[in-house]
Amino acid sequence: MEPDVPDPNEPDPNVDFAHTDQAARRRHEKALGLARFVWDRAITGTELLALSDERLRKLAREAGANPPSSKETWTVVAGLLDEKTRWAQAHPDDPRSVPAHADEKITWVKPPLPPWPGR
């Protein structure tokens, strides 16, 4: 009896396509674009990861990207934001260390409400 020969036109069911090198490269490219957009709005990595899935989808669309299908990409974006923040702190005189659209942050991240007087 001849062993089964896999059909070259059929995807290998044992391959996790979400975690191939190519998928990681695409995820990193998307994360870079998102991080640039988010950085320009002065949103930190911590603030980004605290946003709801709905807000993240809106943010991605506003950045001109298809919303990532997993939190994995957003985690990469948060790491890139933290990296950029460290760089900006080390280079305060560089114009690239200042977010270009910081005034738009409130569109995405709402400031905490102040406590009620007398509390």
Side-chain angles (χ1 to χ4, degrees):
M1 201 177 214
E2 193 174 309
D4 287 338
V5 177
D7 182 348
N9 297 319
E10 290 293 318
D12 184 348
N14 299 316
V15 175
D16 179 5
F17 289 104
H19 295 94
T20 63
D21 288 343
Q22 183 179 6
R25 269 192 309 279
R26 281 195 308 259
R27 190 171 19 261
H28 188 73
E29 287 170 16
K30 180 182 270 192
L32 272 174
L34 290 168
R36 285 183 184 113
F37 183 86
V38 173
W39 165 260
D40 276 341
R41 274 115 195 115
I43 300 169
T44 67
T46 302
E47 290 169 332
L48 179 76
L49 294 177
L51 294 176
S52 69
D53 288 343
E54 178 185 346
R55 298 293 292 163
L56 290 171
R57 284 190 299 274
K58 272 184 143 171
L59 186 61
R61 285 192 292 273
E62 191 68 28
N66 287 327
S69 57
S70 72
K71 271 290 211 211
E72 197 168 353
T73 303
W74 290 113
T75 302
V76 173
V77 172
L80 291 168
L81 292 171
D82 293 342
E83 198 175 305
K84 176 74 174 198
T85 299
R86 286 190 297 275
W87 178 87
Q89 290 169 343
H91 301 88
D93 296 331
D94 191 309
R96 296 171 296 173
S97 69
V98 179
H101 304 286
D103 58 324
E104 294 179 23
K105 178 176 182 170
I106 196 163
T107 304
W108 304 103
V109 178
K110 305 298 182 213
L113 294 174
W116 192 257
R119 292 223 167 186

